[in-house]
Amino acid sequence: MLTIAFIGAGSVEFTRQLLRDLLSFPELADVTIGLHDIDGERLAVAEALARHTAEACGAKPHVVASLSRRKVLEGADVVINMVAVGGHAATLTDFDVPESFGVRQTIGDTLGIGGIFRALRTFPLLEGLAADILAVCPDAWLLNYTNPMAMNIQYLAAVAPKVKAVGLCHSVYWTIRDLSGLVGVPYEEVDFLSAGVNHQAWILRWQHEGRDLYPALDEAIAADPELARRVRVDMYRRLGHYPTETSEHSSEYVPWYLGHDSEIERLRIPVRDYAGISAANLAEYEGLRDRIGAGGTPPPVLDEDATEYAPQVVHSLVTGTRRTIQVNTVNHGLIDNLPAGAAVEVPATLDRLGVHPHRVGALPPQLAALNRGFLNVVELTVAAAVEGDPAHVRHAAMVDPATAAALTVDRIWDLCAAMTAAHGDLLPPALRGT
């Protein structure tokens, strides 16, 4: 039976959600689950939650937990990566240091100074993980959840092109589900096409029984002025297509909003939002740890149909069930007006043979223009690590839309130096200098 390795299993709530979705499929009830984390305490909590989840699902998987990544990877068919290098402390650094320079962020995990340095401290982990996969499970599919998604997928393609890596993110799913609810149409009955880059993709088509649903969205926005007080509604009204990630995320990838107090007020942008979310996640983990340590039973996972993509990939690999999801992968002829070799987000078909991305063609020019600006930051961040050139870290920050809108070039370089010093040994050795 299939063997699935969870790397970064100490992200216990996400691990538990994935396991609940996996084990809800009867065909996956006896899979082998390998759990790995470098934090022994978190790993023990993840193992306990895995066993509780299996019991709640009426499944009997074989669960193995180890501090050795190589041991967990041996013979794996699927590898799920969800490591957050540096944890909550590094997340706070990503907010606090830029804030001291006057740079506002909301999420800080995809683009901007936060995204750049989150990528740089994640790349060494990805390089080691890819080497281990090629050594002990070369045919495995690597399903990456770790952000910054586009930077991580593009880096993996550069340093380990033989690894079968795709990135998974549920932003498109939840965008379509929420929009469909807003216009009163069942999600299960809509047809849609989305493409672009992760956290800045676009709903290109959205229909119900052949009827375009965008006019219904326009009516809903017109009927509720508060809906217009959101970044992505503002972007939709100006660009003609709805972005697929939250307003908090979307505000960071353009130069138009975070630098202006009036726009923060008008569009209700929650500055430093993820710093609070990260703290809440840590508190939730500590509560689960204490509850399990005291012999208690963890609260049940919400009883929903499987919504995360990784369990659907695994189920299709085992059963051959054909389904379509969104994936992040290398642009080999998938989107015509985005750079070849860049990490893009497109639909893909799943089956027993794996993941098959769809060719989309050309995006509307105004959407491709924004995506190319996004990908400039991605390309330079990846180049910094691949070439071992600290100057490219500064170049990436200089072309980042929100950072460039907030600081002079001298201050951008000073900020990069401060971030380099703050993250220290978490960064690749070649990038720890100036």
Side-chain angles (χ1 to χ4, degrees), residues 361-408:
L363 298 176
Q366 72 277 19
L367 308 183
L370 282 179
N371 284 169
R372 285 195 295 269
F374 185 115
L375 289 169
N376 287 338
V377 185
V378 172
E379 180 180 3
L380 285 164
T381 304
V382 171
V386 171
E387 299 175 19
D389 186 350
H392 284 328
V393 179
R394 281 74 179 161
H395 300 153
M398 288 169 66
V399 302
D400 176 71
T403 306
L407 298 180
T408 66

Side-chain angles (χ1 to χ4, degrees), residues 172 175-176 179 193-194 201-206 214 241-242 244:
V172 174
T175 295
I176 294 295
L179 287 179
L193 174 65
S194 173
W202 314 95
I203 306 302
L204 303 175
R205 293 201 297 273
W206 175 42
Y214 268 131
H241 294 272
Y242 204 81
T244 60

Side-chain angles (χ1 to χ4, degrees), residues 44-266:
V45 174
E47 182 179 8
L49 283 173
R51 299 190 187 282
H52 279 293
T53 303
E55 183 178 356
C57 292
K60 295 184 178 180
H62 178 54
V63 178
V64 177
S66 177
L67 293 169
S68 167
R69 184 174 67 199
R70 181 72 71 97
K71 179 179 178 180
V72 165
L73 288 172
E74 286 179 0
D77 301 288
V78 176
V79 179
I80 300 175
N81 177 49
M82 46 195 170
V83 174
V85 176
H88 179 60
T91 294
L92 290 182
T93 297
D94 287 341
F95 280 95
D96 293 344
V97 176
E99 189 176 85
S100 72
F101 280 74
V103 175
R104 292 163 167 157
Q105 298 178 101
T106 51
I107 306 297
D109 72 351
T110 298
L111 218 61
I113 288 295
I116 291 167
F117 278 85
R118 189 181 182 101
L120 295 177
R121 65 178 186 265
T122 302
F123 289 165
L125 175 280
L126 293 178
E127 184 176 17
L129 175 60
D132 282 351
I133 288 172
L134 291 173
V136 300
C137 56
D139 294 325
W141 283 93
L142 171 57
L143 308 181
N144 179 68
Y145 276 101
T146 295
N147 284 317
M149 181 66 74
M151 295 185 190
N152 290 341
I153 293 298
Q154 196 157 324
Y155 178 77
L156 281 167
V159 302
K162 292 184 179 180
V163 172
K164 298 188 295 187
V166 294
L168 303 180
C169 175
H170 54 209
S171 62
V172 174
Y173 168 84
W174 284 113
T175 295
I176 294 295
R177 194 172 188 99
D178 290 347
L179 287 179
S180 299
L182 186 62
V183 300
V185 174
Y187 164 79
E188 295 78 12
E189 297 179 10
V190 303
D191 301 300
F192 67 91
L193 174 65
S194 173
V197 296
N198 182 242
H199 290 177
Q200 198 188 63
W202 314 95
I203 306 302
L204 303 175
R205 293 201 297 273
W206 175 42
Q207 299 177 346
H208 180 242
E209 297 179 348
R211 174 174 66 95
D212 182 9
L213 290 174
Y214 268 131
L217 178 60
D218 294 337
E219 293 176 5
I221 293 170
D224 183 358
E226 289 301 298
L227 287 177
R229 296 186 63 207
R230 300 297 291 159
V231 166
R232 58 177 173 170
V233 173
D234 192 74
M235 292 178 67
Y236 159 59
R237 296 171 74 182
R238 299 175 191 277
L239 298 169
H241 294 272
Y242 204 81
T244 60
E245 192 41 274
T246 65
S247 292
E248 292 78 11
H249 276 279
S250 295
S251 68
E252 292 189 307
Y253 315 144
V254 293
W256 310 322
Y257 302 116
L258 283 170
H260 307 282
D261 292 342
S262 59
E263 291 296 85
I264 290 173
E265 173 65 25
R266 178 176 75 91

Side-chain angles (χ1 to χ4, degrees), residues 254-330:
V254 293
W256 310 322
Y257 302 116
L258 283 170
H260 307 282
D261 292 342
S262 59
E263 291 296 85
I264 290 173
E265 173 65 25
R266 178 176 75 91
L267 299 171
R268 299 175 293 175
I269 301 172
V271 176
R272 287 184 64 95
D273 191 41
Y274 191 72
I277 293 171
S278 180
N281 289 341
L282 179 59
E284 186 173 19
Y285 159 73
E286 291 172 345
L288 277 170
R289 176 201 61 196
D290 295 345
R291 186 168 177 169
I292 289 172
T297 301
V301 179
L302 292 177
D303 186 19
E304 300 174 348
D305 294 334
T307 56
E308 290 294 344
Y309 285 147
Q312 297 178 52
V313 174
V314 174
H315 185 259
S316 290
L317 289 171
V318 170
T319 66
T321 301
R322 291 175 63 86
R323 46 169 62 92
T324 299
I325 65 168
Q326 300 295 126
V327 302
N328 292 271
T329 188
V330 177

